[in-house]
Amino acid sequence: MTTAPVSKKAPLLHRLPIIREYRKSVGLQRWMLLIGLIITALILLMAIFAPLIAPYGYSQLRDDSGAFGARVAPNAEHWFGTTVGGYDVLSRFIWGSQTAVLVMIMAVVLSLFIGVLLGLVSGYIGGWLDRILVVVADAIYAFPSLLLAIVMAIMISGGQSDMLGGILAAALSITVVFIPQYFRVTRAEVVRVKSEAFVESSKVIGASSGRIMFRHVLRNSTRTLPLIMTLNAAEAVLTLAGLGFIGFGIEPSSAAEWGYDLNRSIADVASGVWWTALFPGLAIVLAVLGLTLVGESLNDLADPRLRTRRASGGGKVQSTSVQAEQADAQTDADTGDEEARA
Amino acid sequence: MTDVSSLSTAQTATAKKRKSSSLWKYLLVRLLLIIPTVWILVTMVFLLMRVTGDPISAALGDRLPADQLAARIEEAGYNRPLYEQYFEYLGGLLRGDFGTTISDNRPVLDVLMTYGPATFELAFYGLVVAFIVGIPLGRIAAYRRDKWQDAGLRTFAILAYAVPVFFAGLMLKLIFSVWLGWLPVAGRISTGSRRDLILIDNPTGIYLIDAIQTGEPAVVLDVLSHAVLPALALGLLTAGVFLRLVRTNMIGTLGTEYITAARSRGVREHRLIATHAWRPALIPIITVIGMQIAMLLGGAVLTETTFEWQGLGYQLIEYIKARDFVAVQGIVALLAVIVAVSNFIVDVIAAFIDPRVRY
């Protein structure tokens, strides 16, 4: 580690996952990534500052001037109108982001943790444990994720819950769906890395299996994880909304959830009331869109077949791009060396 | 055993014969793989649903007094050890017995036979829309890569992914049924036409086929008009997935050297895209489409709820509301079988197209 000259590395900021990809991107791909990042940041800000932004509480039915009234069309008082139950649509739009972000983070962190651990152990140890886990993961992977989430939700909450219980139930249901994805990717990488020379040398110098797994193999097997995490975060929002839509929603008095609100709006739509369906739906679309744009861009940038390259016309541009890629290759090689030496 | 003998004679046999014997071996192995897949899923669903309690308390716990509840549990055998119930459940499944629903006391298989065709019909329409829209657009996007057409089509694909199918359904319904009044709001058929359908001899449950059997153009038209919006909602969103898939794989094959060679020989661009670049791209596309069947079924559950389409998904939600978990378990187990079988069919098709898939 000390032997590698620090000056040769790109600054830390440029090596951070998303920023590194951003610097690599050009044209349309850069725009997609940028728009995605902006939308995602907006949703996150909305979730964090919901108490400050939202005009009313998510379960508030009246203010000083009396009850809000049911199915009130958008007006100066209620920009997005009110629902059939008398809630303010704009407030539930904003508060909903908090529920979505909480579930998203919980689901992704939990499934990342469990999936990577299982993939690591399964890939490194191999044998019958590996075979069983692979067959089980494949079976789960092939199954409609929403149905699996329904079964999990029944098991965890029996279908109804308060805020924390509901969020936890939704997050856990989604976690089970995601674990196979992290498992498969990590396992594939681990199987590849396991045969590298530095693993063998660690064994020769007498490092324990645990140390080899976590210090050497794991660190070299995480290339594709940021990509899956972003796409899974998007899917988590969709699954949460799907669960809410079919009636595993979190009760409106305990938290705001977009899928539940959409379910309530089925009857509204038939009678021409559009605002109760449009706004929660748009919220879901925006949240998923932002994350998907980021994930898609990362995917394209990671795949050399799909990466748009800088035009070869301008000499200056080309030379910097080569340097950037060299710097990248250098950092990759550096980390590889570190692992070998550590 | 027969495989081994056919392999030993394969050296003397023609190349064609050798090819077919390994193909059958592959198909047999693949067919046998269905069993563990279904078994794992069914076991998992059983365990998950029973870990927290018996289905009778879940369905009736708040309505019956404790002694009657205990009697019902006793009668249904839910007080026995879990492993005993599990083996009985497995045995039942092997005999085609998926259990009996608690809320309306119907055999689950009966529910499946009644509502399955509706779900199949919807999924089929969705798939047709997805193919018709997704594949040509994906080819265009790949060919016009990084041009404005590509940018537009990719935006559509990403939007199609980001829009939940039930939101798309609600918006389509709002615009075309409520505001414009062009199409029916919900359901599979109007009451007048349903009377005609009851009269036919061999109802399949697939309304389009049944409507054609009546020989009344008005009935066929009625059935189709009910199907337009659900099929569009489900199909357009799936089309986005197909579009991306076709695009990615076509870009891969369009970049290969044999395409450049074909182009330099003067093969026309249209033919290049339709045949030369398309055929090799088809294998991964078919494999992924197989996985989409699972997604399509999940989407069908949500679409059915949006349009009150009386299929398995709609029924599933009704049973969830009634907290009838025997019915839920039965429907989920059946869907597991369907997914496993359709994945098998897709693999068979892929094996016939691509010799490399067989081992």
Side-chain angles (χ1 to χ4, degrees), chain A residues 166-251:
Chain A
I167 288 178
L168 198 68
L172 281 175
S173 314
I174 298 166
T175 300
V176 174
V177 175
F178 288 165
I179 287 175
Q181 299 181 19
Y182 291 98
F183 170 81
R184 283 158 70 116
V185 172
T186 310
R187 185 187 163 277
E189 285 281 298
V190 167
V191 168
R192 185 182 64 83
V193 172
K194 192 168 77 166
S195 56
E196 300 268 345
F198 65 80
V199 173
E200 213 162 318
S201 10
S202 317
K203 274 186 197 155
V204 170
I205 62 170
S208 68
S209 290
R211 190 180 164 84
I212 298 175
M213 267 200 276
F214 288 97
R215 269 198 86 84
H216 306 299
V217 179
L218 179 61
R219 287 212 199 159
N220 285 294
S221 309
T222 51
R223 273 190 315 173
T224 44
L225 291 183
L227 163 68
I228 308 179
M229 280 167 67
T230 356
L231 291 177
N232 273 350
E235 219 184 311
V237 177
L238 280 178
T239 312
L240 172 70
L243 279 176
F245 184 73
I246 58 172
F248 281 107
I250 299 159
E251 290 296 307

Side-chain angles (χ1 to χ4, degrees), chain A residues 123-143:
Chain A
Y124 188 75
I125 294 175
W128 59 268
L129 178 76
D130 184 42
R131 272 185 222 148
I132 291 175
L133 283 175
V134 167
V135 173
V136 171
D138 281 356
I140 297 178
Y141 189 72
F143 199 60

Side-chain angles (χ1 to χ4, degrees), chain A residues 26-332:
Chain A
V26 285
L28 183 64
Q29 273 171 356
R30 176 168 276 196
W31 278 108
M32 276 173 55
L33 185 56
L34 195 63
I35 293 173
L37 287 173
I38 291 173
I39 297 177
T40 311
L42 281 179
I43 299 278
L44 284 176
L45 287 176
M46 198 157 90
I48 295 169
F49 296 111
L52 300 176
I53 312 168
Y56 307 100
Y58 51 79
S59 59
Q60 196 174 338
L61 291 168
R62 54 180 66 247
D63 59 2
D64 298 338
S65 55
F68 294 160
R71 289 183 174 181
V72 176
N75 57 32
E77 198 97 326
H78 302 285
W79 291 359
F80 289 180
T82 65
T83 70
V84 68
Y87 298 116
D88 178 56
V89 176
L90 175 62
S91 302
R92 288 187 65 83
F93 177 95
I94 294 170
W95 283 102
S97 65
Q98 213 169 48
T99 314
V101 168
L102 272 177
V103 169
M104 192 173 86
I105 291 174
M106 271 204 256
V108 171
V109 170
L110 278 176
S111 50
L112 178 74
F113 191 72
I114 303 172
V116 168
L117 192 70
L118 284 177
L120 183 64
V121 171
S122 178
Y124 188 75
I125 294 175
W128 59 268
L129 178 76
D130 184 42
R131 272 185 222 148
I132 291 175
L133 283 175
V134 167
V135 173
V136 171
D138 281 356
I140 297 178
Y141 189 72
F143 199 60
S145 53
L146 185 70
L147 291 183
L148 194 63
I150 291 175
V151 173
M152 283 301 294
I154 289 178
M155 183 197 131
I156 296 169
S157 64
Q160 293 158 345
S161 273
D162 54 355
M163 166 152 181
L164 204 66
I167 288 178
L168 198 68
L172 281 175
S173 314
I174 298 166
T175 300
V176 174
V177 175
F178 288 165
I179 287 175
Q181 299 181 19
Y182 291 98
F183 170 81
R184 283 158 70 116
V185 172
T186 310
R187 185 187 163 277
E189 285 281 298
V190 167
V191 168
R192 185 182 64 83
V193 172
K194 192 168 77 166
S195 56
E196 300 268 345
F198 65 80
V199 173
E200 213 162 318
S201 10
S202 317
K203 274 186 197 155
V204 170
I205 62 170
S208 68
S209 290
R211 190 180 164 84
I212 298 175
M213 267 200 276
F214 288 97
R215 269 198 86 84
H216 306 299
V217 179
L218 179 61
R219 287 212 199 159
N220 285 294
S221 309
T222 51
R223 273 190 315 173
T224 44
L225 291 183
L227 163 68
I228 308 179
M229 280 167 67
T230 356
L231 291 177
N232 273 350
E235 219 184 311
V237 177
L238 280 178
T239 312
L240 172 70
L243 279 176
F245 184 73
I246 58 172
F248 281 107
I250 299 159
E251 290 296 307
S253 50
S254 42
E257 203 271 300
W258 298 325
Y260 175 89
D261 289 354
L262 271 176
N263 175 283
R264 296 280 104 178
S265 74
I266 300 180
D268 294 350
V269 163
S271 49
V273 172
W274 51 270
W275 54 90
T276 52
L278 181 68
F279 295 114
L282 278 184
I284 300 170
V285 173
L286 271 182
V288 179
L289 188 66
L291 290 162
T292 313
L293 281 172
V294 175
E296 276 278 288
S297 316
L298 294 185
N299 184 31
D300 288 2
L301 291 168
D303 187 341
R305 287 183 309 169
L306 296 175
R307 186 161 74 222
T308 313
R309 291 173 201 275
R310 272 161 229 249
S312 53
K316 197 185 165 206
V317 180
Q318 196 190 16
S319 66
T320 48
S321 90
V322 170
Q323 270 172 9
E325 268 171 32
Q326 272 175 349
D328 269 347
Q330 188 63 47
T331 31
D332 286 352

Side-chain angles (χ1 to χ4, degrees), chain B residues 217-279:
Chain B
V219 178
V220 178
L221 210 65
D222 182 55
V223 167
L224 283 178
S225 71
H226 278 86
V228 171
L229 291 184
L232 275 182
L234 188 57
L236 283 180
L237 302 194
T238 317
V241 181
F242 285 11
L243 193 161
R244 276 200 299 194
L245 189 64
V246 171
R247 176 184 178 272
T248 309
N249 286 295
M250 284 282 281
I251 285 177
T253 50
L254 277 173
T256 52
E257 286 176 349
Y258 75 89
I259 293 291
T260 319
R263 188 175 274 143
S264 64
R265 283 202 312 273
V267 176
R268 266 175 298 147
E269 289 296 304
H270 168 73
R271 216 178 128 71
L272 269 183
I273 299 167
T275 319
H276 293 243
W278 171 242
R279 294 283 292 271

